[in-house]
């Protein structure tokens, strides 16, 4: 691990694509909770399973209009993890950390883990 950066890990299979077609799924890898969800492009996204607002599990939320919604206060996050306000504008100062995901043989794989202890966001 380099500083607060992402941590490289052995390629790890998280779930199959069918597991995320109906909503986000929680997966734990090396003690880190992750949320795997399907973006509007039909590709998976993998984020830390912690809302930057009040730490709720994003995996307990749902996907709406291509955005991942937190179950607590319904903050929305786009496919790159940025908070998107009610005006539809993404805020680059508030984001959920994520890592690249690959799809192989119908399954979602990662080879890094998101940043630990990301910055919290107050109401933008
Ligand atoms: S805890 Fe996620 S929006 Fe408040």
């Amino acid at each position: 691990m380099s500083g607060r950066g992402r941590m490289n890990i052995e390629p790890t299979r998280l779930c199959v694509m069918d597991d995320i077609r109906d909503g986000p799924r929680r997966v734990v890898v090396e003690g880190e909770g992750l949320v795997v969800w399907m973006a509007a492009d039909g590709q998976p996204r993998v984020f830390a399973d912690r809302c930057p607002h009040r730490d709720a599990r994003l995996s307990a939320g749902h996907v709406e209009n291509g955005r991942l919604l937190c179950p607590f206060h319904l903050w929305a996050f786009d496919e790159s993890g940025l908070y998107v306000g009610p005006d539809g504008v993404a805020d680059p100062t508030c984001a959920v950390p994520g890592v690249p995901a690959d799809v192989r043989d119908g399954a979602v794989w990662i080879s890094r883990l998101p940043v630990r202890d990301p910055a919290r966001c107050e109401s933008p």
Side-chain angles (χ1 to χ4, degrees), residues 64-88:
E64 190 175 295
N65 299 324
R67 293 174 182 147
L68 179 62
L69 270 63
C70 178
F72 271 26
H73 309 102
L74 300 177
W75 283 20
F77 300 92
D78 71 9
E79 68 281 351
S80 59
L82 297 180
Y83 166 80
V84 180
D87 56 2

Side-chain angles (χ1 to χ4, degrees), residues 2-16:
S2 60
R4 294 187 36 158
R6 297 165 175 160
M7 183 171 70
N8 292 323
I9 56 173
E10 290 296 312
T12 302
R13 182 182 182 276
L14 301 182
C15 62
V16 295

Side-chain angles (χ1 to χ4, degrees), residues 39-102:
D41 62 5
Q43 296 301 304
R45 298 297 191 277
V46 178
F47 296 166
D49 194 13
R50 268 178 58 186
C51 180
H53 184 216
R54 294 283 185 268
D55 292 337
R57 284 187 180 182
L58 295 169
S59 56
H62 65 281
V63 178
E64 190 175 295
N65 299 324
R67 293 174 182 147
L68 179 62
L69 270 63
C70 178
F72 271 26
H73 309 102
L74 300 177
W75 283 20
F77 300 92
D78 71 9
E79 68 281 351
S80 59
L82 297 180
Y83 166 80
V84 180
D87 56 2
V89 176
D91 178 352
T93 68
C94 182
V96 183
V99 291
D102 296 319

Side-chain angles (χ1 to χ4, degrees), residues 11 15 23 27 32 36 39-40 49 53 56 62 86 88 98 100-103 105 114-115:
C15 62
V27 179
E32 296 291 317
V36 188
D49 194 13
H53 184 216
H62 65 281
D102 296 319
V103 178
D105 300 325
V115 172

